[in-house]
Amino acid sequence: MEYLVRIVEGTPWWVWLLFAYLVVRGIKALRPSTGPVWRFAILPAVFLAWGIASLANDFGITALSAGSYLAGLAVGTGLGWLMPGGQAIRADRAHGLVQVPGGPTTLILILAIFAVKYCFGVWMGMEPEVAAQGWFVMANCGLSGLIAGMFAGRFARLVRAYRTRPEEDLSAQAS
């Protein structure tokens, strides 16, 4: 137990702030939401930026780190595109609004990527030499890209649905 307490105490404050923000966003995603399309790009952008920053800061941009991240990103984007829920998206192009159904997927993905990034970060903090191991770089960067890609794929599907769905007036439902 003392071991876990040391890990938690050694975690920078901003990590907990980011975690709280992400959990709040995930909980909000449990309910249907209506808003401008750009608002739904925030989480994919955060996870893409976080992944790229981690890649550059932790491993440097090498063929192995970038290739692993991009491979994970490609697979994740495809998986995100295929996730259920796209059929229920409603569009109001006149007001620039989109409505998405609520559900646990966003919260699950948020918790998954946070857990992956946190565990890999703790591991590197405890055993810095592991960051030089090729398998570790591939796993860390690949999983980071995979989960970020799932957010990107879901957002790409949302944009496609926004452009192709029948026009509806959602202005009274905007949050």
Side-chain angles (χ1 to χ4, degrees):
M1 184 68 169
E2 183 180 316
Y3 183 70
L4 292 175
V5 170
R6 284 197 329 239
I7 290 173
V8 171
E9 288 176 347
T11 301
W13 65 268
W14 63 267
V15 172
W16 299 120
L17 185 64
L18 177 62
F19 180 65
Y21 168 77
L22 294 172
V23 169
V24 167
R25 294 296 315 146
I27 290 170
K28 284 183 178 182
L30 293 171
R31 296 183 311 272
S33 180
T34 303
V37 175
W38 65 262
R39 190 178 83 200
F40 296 93
I42 293 172
L43 281 178
V46 165
F47 286 121
L48 286 168
W50 189 12
I52 292 168
S54 294
L55 179 145
N57 291 332
D58 295 340
F59 308 107
I61 303 205
T62 66
L64 182 62
S65 65
S68 299
Y69 184 82
L70 292 173
L73 188 66
V75 171
T77 300
L79 292 173
W81 180 273
L82 297 173
M83 286 181 156
Q87 307 84 337
I89 293 170
R90 298 170 59 201
D92 179 352
R93 288 177 293 283
H95 296 101
L97 299 172
V98 65
Q99 184 179 72
V100 298
T105 305
T106 298
L107 181 58
I108 291 167
L109 288 175
I110 284 170
L111 294 175
I113 198 166
F114 188 87
V116 165
K117 301 295 282 174
Y118 189 81
C119 289
F120 277 114
V122 167
W123 194 350
M124 286 189 304
M126 295 173 65
E127 298 177 35
E129 66 280 358
V130 76
Q133 302 294 320
W135 63 269
F136 185 85
V137 173
M138 288 176 60
N140 188 321
C141 296
L143 284 171
S144 179
L146 177 79
I147 298 172
M150 292 171 88
F151 277 101
R154 291 177 69 218
F155 179 70
R157 188 189 63 213
L158 180 144
V159 169
R160 180 175 179 264
Y162 173 77
R163 291 180 176 160
T164 60
R165 291 285 188 263
E167 181 78 22
E168 298 182 52
D169 184 358
L170 301 172
S171 59
Q173 300 168 27
S175 52

